[in-house]
Amino acid sequence: MSGRCLASLMVLFLAGLSCDAVRPVKSAPPTALVTCTHCHGDAGSGNAAPPRSSTGVIATTDPGVGAHQSHLIAGHFRAPIACQECHQVPRTVDDSGHMTGIPARVRFDALGSSGLASAKGAAAAVEFGPVSAPQARPDATCTVYCHGATLDGGKLTRPSWAGTYDPAHSTLDCESCHGFPPGGRHPQRFERTPEAPARACARCHSRTVGADGTLDLAGGKHINGVVDFGGGDACTACHGDGTRVGIAGSDPLVAAAPPTSATGAAAGAHLAHVNGGGTPLRSPLACVECHARIGVETAAVHPDDKVDVDFGPLAQGMGATPVWDAAAGSCATTYCHGATLTGGTHTLPVWTGGSPEAACGTCHGVPPPAPHPPNTACGSCHPGYTSSTVAAATHVDGKVDVGALTCSSCHGSALNPAPPVGTRGETLSTDRAVGAHQPHLSGGNVARAVLCNECHVVPTSTLHADGVVQVTFGGVAITGGAPAAWNGTSCTTSYCHGQFTGGNALNAPVWIGGSGQAACGSCHTIPPPA
């Protein structure tokens, strides 16, 4: 029940519908007016509820008196409750149902009631107990929301009205209506809170509980039919540390992530994910990337003392089907840790394993295996990268980020795309990846410059990068039908090196033999034959 609603009821109670109001008696002369306190209650007490009862009894152990005053005056647990929450307050003394005998009729659906007793779906009802002695009146218990009928963990959800039916269970405290802490979906751990448990309640329910642990009765939020959350702590009321300062660019909820200790799954690698943890491998992750329900759950259903791991779109990047393996304590088959990549040495990191779990090479090879070029100069294709650093803003973003590529992005140099440099970074002509590339493309005293497509099919996309060098002769190499071939060490039977009439058809210069392989007399005699 909201503060406004409670205030409205109290105005009605103290003004128009108060039990102390002057009520006319239909059968009496117009001047004969009575008040509720003519029959019960005491005008001096401020209300018409017993004591005294309609039979003159003042002892609270009598059901006619019982806990009336405990309800109508402010107590430890809430502000006063209006009479009409439990009874239909008559408009005249002889209204039907007013004076119909003992015990008095309890009507939780009475006119003017806010429905507090039946809030949260409670089936409000009164049950009368056995008569303890001859001529005695039966005690009663109430099954109502007000006493925890719809809550979890309460130890005394049906207290004795007069304290006679079950004297051992007539005193109420915080654990009477709900557990302390409550059961069900409510978080059960208070180990993070050094203060007394009652004061800990204020971390999430500051509208209901004061910082000193006392209930805010004036605010009217306790026992109002609604679970009221509030306070500036937000997520850190239950986990995380509101004083924690995130690194630049960290997730805004870094303060709400569990503490840095990696001794348990609750803490684990949380900070390494949302705060970056000093790792250079990517920008911080938002909480919803691993707990997607946070974005759709309300505060009323979120705290259930269970960890819900529901992966967001990043973990599912590039077709991955992520799974949280609680038994192994690992995120299995997530894109983030290389499930869709190749060459990674540790694609199933342990949640509590510590920072070494994330390093270059754990998710994919450095460089990745074929068809990725075996070049460790990452920046050639991926701007902002080196062999040891990444561009955190784009690394691990669900797609392969490649800059504007040219042939020399993977091999060659500004001079031309032929090695050096090779795809592995080779620079020596004694390495087969380099060999005699430049003597061919540069030309010289004995020949023109040879074009790339004379020995290779020039690709039109990066898909040719499969780790295998394709030598396909064309142009001058096969002039006159010369059966040019590459045997792994030399170009044999090519027109360029003597496979022509009067030439040295068997001339097969070694690819890594150096420029001396091409000289006058190596392809044909000097002078050539007739």
Side-chain angles (χ1 to χ4, degrees), residues 151-155 173-193 195-202 204-205 209 237-238 303-305:
L151 305 179
D152 293 297
K155 297 180 179 179
D173 57 27
C174 287
E175 295 183 82
S176 297
C177 301
H178 55 71
F180 199 57
R185 298 179 66 88
H186 194 285
Q188 298 299 297
R189 296 181 291 272
F190 284 116
E191 69 269 18
R192 286 193 57 256
T193 310
E195 61 264 36
R199 295 173 64 184
C201 300
C204 296
H205 306 286
V209 184
C238 297
D304 59 0
D305 205 40

Side-chain angles (χ1 to χ4, degrees), residues 79-106:
I81 296 177
C83 299
Q84 57 265 33
E85 292 293 347
C86 304
H87 304 286
Q88 183 169 334
V89 177
R91 297 183 180 278
T92 62
V93 172
D94 57 354
D95 265 357
S96 175
H98 177 211
M99 296 184 295
T100 56
I102 297 174
R105 186 179 181 190
V106 177

Side-chain angles (χ1 to χ4, degrees), residues 1 114-124 144-146 148-151 223-229 300-301:
M1 180 168 60
S114 68
L116 183 62
S118 56
K120 306 289 282 186
V144 289
Y145 158 79
C146 326
T150 60
L151 305 179
I223 314 181
N224 65 349
V226 177
V227 178
D228 292 294
F229 295 92
V301 299

Side-chain angles (χ1 to χ4, degrees), residues 424-444:
R424 293 181 174 84
E426 303 94 333
T427 60
L428 299 178
S429 62
T430 53
D431 191 297
R432 193 172 72 171
V434 179
H437 271 107
Q438 288 307 316
H440 283 73
L441 268 75
S442 301

Side-chain angles (χ1 to χ4, degrees), residues 363-419:
C363 301
H364 57 73
V366 183
H372 190 285
N375 194 339
T376 58
C378 305
S380 299
C381 300
H382 308 285
Y385 289 69
T386 70
S387 60
S388 59
T389 62
V390 302
T394 58
H395 192 225
V396 195
D397 62 355
K399 57 183 182 295
V400 178
D401 297 294
V402 180
L405 299 181
T406 66
C407 295
S408 56
S409 295
C410 297
H411 45 72
S413 64
L415 177 65
N416 57 57

